[in-house]
Amino acid sequence: MSSDTVKPFLIKKDEDGNFRLTVRDIHYNSQGYPIVTSTLQAEFFKTATVARTFAKDHFKAEAGQFATK
């Protein structure tokens, strides 16, 4: 089984300086390995904090569910 945990929300800065939010859906196969489906959201954000707030409001995200890598 993989020792890496996948956070369901990824916040990254794009080449234009905007922050983008990717929502990751995680399922596990019969051997316990994660199968991850990622969906980049259409919105652009000025700061990572605004992206986190958007995820909390629209996807019921909680603290500790965000990744930056």
Side-chain angles (χ1 to χ4, degrees):
M1 186 161 98
S2 176
S3 62
D4 296 333
T5 59
V6 178
K7 307 271 183 174
F9 301 99
L10 174 66
I11 299 173
K12 289 187 81 173
K13 196 175 209 179
D14 67 11
E15 58 276 349
D16 296 327
N18 297 307
F19 287 87
R20 301 294 307 268
L21 175 68
T22 301
V23 179
R24 301 188 281 196
D25 186 32
I26 304 139
H27 297 282
Y28 294 89
N29 69 8
S30 62
Q31 296 176 340
Y33 288 96
I35 298 170
V36 181
T37 304
S38 299
T39 306
L40 180 64
Q41 300 301 301
E43 292 81 0
F44 295 91
F45 305 99
K46 294 266 186 200
T47 66
T49 303
V50 176
R52 279 188 179 91
T53 302
F54 179 85
K56 289 177 182 178
D57 293 344
H58 290 87
F59 300 105
K60 298 182 179 153
E62 298 175 359
Q65 293 183 324
F66 297 97
T68 56
K69 292 185 180 182

